[in-house]
Amino acid sequence: MSSLIASSATVLPPCGPTALKSCIVSPLASQSRTKPASSRRASTMTVRCDVAVKSADSVNAEEAELSAEEIEAKAKVGSSIRVTAPLKVYHVNRVPEVDLEGMEGKLKDYVAVWKGKRISANLPYKVEFFKEVEGRGPVKFVAHLKDDEFEFIDA
C-alpha cells in the first residue's frame, strides 16, 4: 500500500490524427473504488477520457443554420391551421376516436429544434385542438403533425 501513496498520477497521451484532450487519472483514486484480488498484489485501473475538439468555424456554421430555421419555425407558432390529411387520434378523454381531417387548431410549438440543436422529430409541429363533448363542454387536446398534413389559415 505504501507504493500506491508514493506513486504519481498517470497521464495518458493523446492518440489519433485529430486533436484530442486526455484526462488525468490517479492510481490512488482508482484503488479506492476497486477491491484488490489478493493481499499480495493490488489491481490497477486505468481510465481514459478522449474528447474530440471541433473547430470554431464548424460550430459557428451549425449555429447560423439552426438559428435561421428556428426563427422561421418560431414565426409560425401561434398561427391557425386546418388539417388536410385523413388522421385519427385515440388519446382524447371520453371520446373513443377523433377524426382530425378538416378540424382547425392552433400551432403551439415546433419541436424539431431543442435547446438550439436539431433533433430528428418525425412529427415536428405540436398543434392544439378543441373538441366539443356532450355533457362536458370543450375538451382541449394536442396532436403532433407533419408539414404536409395541414395548411395555414389566413386570418
Side-chain angles (χ1 to χ4, degrees), residues 7-126:
S7 67
S8 64
T10 305
V11 179
L12 299 173
C15 62
T18 61
L20 297 175
K21 295 180 181 177
S22 297
C23 296
I24 299 174
V25 178
S26 169
L28 182 60
S30 65
Q31 280 298 318
S32 65
R33 293 188 195 114
T34 61
K35 217 178 213 183
S38 68
S39 61
R40 290 184 184 177
R41 68 169 198 218
S43 63
T44 59
M45 180 188 315
T46 305
V47 177
R48 183 178 178 159
C49 301
D50 293 331
V51 180
V53 179
K54 289 185 176 181
S55 68
D57 295 334
S58 65
V59 173
N60 291 338
E62 289 176 8
E63 288 177 1
E65 178 182 322
L66 289 178
S67 63
E69 179 181 344
E70 191 173 73
I71 290 169
E72 180 183 331
K74 293 296 180 188
K76 295 178 183 178
V77 171
S79 19
S80 297
I81 61 110
R82 181 180 299 121
V83 180
T84 57
L87 298 171
K88 290 185 181 180
V89 293
Y90 300 94
H91 62 274
V92 181
N93 289 338
R94 303 194 183 178
V95 180
E97 74 178 34
V98 176
D99 186 18
L100 293 181
E101 187 174 12
M103 285 187 70
E104 294 181 3
K106 186 175 184 179
L107 191 63
K108 283 304 218 183
D109 198 7
Y110 180 71
V111 297
V113 178
W114 178 253
K115 294 185 180 179
K117 297 192 181 211
R118 176 107 169 104
I119 61 171
S120 61
N122 293 333
L123 304 169
Y125 292 97
K126 184 176 179 181

